Amino acid sequence: MDGPYIRVEESGDVQPLAAEVTTVGRGGGADIHLTDPSVSQLHAEFIRRGPYVYVVDLGLSRNGTRVNGRPIARRVLEEGDVVSFGAARCKIGGLIQEELNPDVELRRGAAPELTRRELDVLTALCRPALSDEAFVSPATAREIAEALVVTEAAVKQHLLRLYQKFRIGEGVNRRTRLANEVVALGLVRPIPVLDRKAS
């Protein structure tokens, strides 16, 4: 098969990644339909940019997306990588193999690998900024703690690790700088807002 493709481990089914965006999920409308109950209706997307492919967890799944066993939010794929959607596993193939200079490796370092809980904290942090309101500050540690039903101390520990991962230095507006970086990298998405007139 020419070009990138994935092979579904359970069925052996081979699906080409020909489109710019290929959706993955248990829902009937997904481009790649996986029947495993741990897969969400709309779980993730494969994005194709020329010869390169990256996978994006849509943040709607309870069980997350992993590449070679590690939880990811977004990750550039290499030949032979195993991508897991919940318990369903797929192997990527058909990618060009080239020696990438680690200094310019598709900015892979720009989006660090994150745990599921770190993604939850980032989503809660950015939720106010992704609303319809203009000039809204990111959520405070207390607001994040209330949203995730954890202690404020636990949230602060997660934020400290996230500042390190995203290289957000000491100084003013640290939460805002983190939120801006996360939104710019596309790691969190605007949350659909129900039409207020309909309610």
Side-chain angles (χ1 to χ4, degrees):
M1 180 179 293
D2 285 339
Y5 63 87
I6 66 158
R7 183 184 306 277
V8 181
E9 191 174 84
E10 188 178 42
S11 65
D13 189 25
V14 175
Q15 299 270 359
L17 300 176
E20 186 174 306
V21 178
T22 303
T23 57
V24 181
R26 199 162 33 91
D31 299 320
I32 296 174
H33 180 72
L34 300 173
T35 57
D36 191 289
S38 66
V39 178
S40 295
Q41 296 291 99
L42 184 59
H43 198 109
E45 293 174 337
F46 287 105
I47 312 290
R48 183 170 175 181
R49 293 284 183 263
Y52 305 108
V53 174
Y54 62 93
V55 64
V56 180
D57 182 86
L58 293 177
L60 307 171
S61 60
R62 181 170 295 176
N63 297 308
T65 300
R66 290 174 145 69
V67 175
N68 301 327
R70 300 187 67 178
I72 57 95
R74 179 170 71 169
R75 169 81 179 262
V76 176
L77 297 173
E78 295 177 355
E79 182 72 15
D81 278 346
V82 175
V83 185
S84 304
F85 308 102
R89 289 160 49 100
C90 304
K91 191 169 188 175
I92 188 92
L95 295 176
I96 60 163
Q97 297 194 47
E98 61 181 18
E99 291 298 318
L100 292 174
N101 180 331
D103 295 331
V104 293
E105 190 186 349
L106 299 176
R107 288 180 51 89
R108 279 177 82 162
E113 293 186 4
L114 302 168
T115 66
R116 193 78 204 149
R117 186 45 112 183
E118 286 170 344
L119 272 175
D120 291 342
V121 169
L122 289 175
T123 300
L125 170 74
C126 297
R127 183 165 280 139
L130 294 172
S131 70
D132 287 339
E133 309 294 325
F135 310 114
V136 177
S137 296
T140 64
R142 177 176 290 174
E143 289 166 342
I144 296 169
E146 288 171 1
L148 300 180
V149 196
V150 295
T151 66
E152 197 172 334
V155 170
K156 287 179 178 176
Q157 285 299 313
H158 282 299
L159 286 172
L160 283 173
R161 278 198 294 276
L162 288 164
Y163 294 144
Q164 290 173 343
K165 285 189 174 188
F166 286 92
R167 296 184 176 88
I168 307 294
E170 299 275 353
V172 295
N173 299 328
R174 211 173 183 192
R175 276 182 304 109
T176 302
R177 286 183 285 145
L178 175 62
N180 287 342
E181 182 70 11
V182 167
V183 172
L185 287 168
L187 296 180
V188 296
R189 300 280 178 87
I191 293 143
V193 179
L194 295 174
D195 187 354
R196 293 190 182 97
K197 292 174 187 168
S199 56

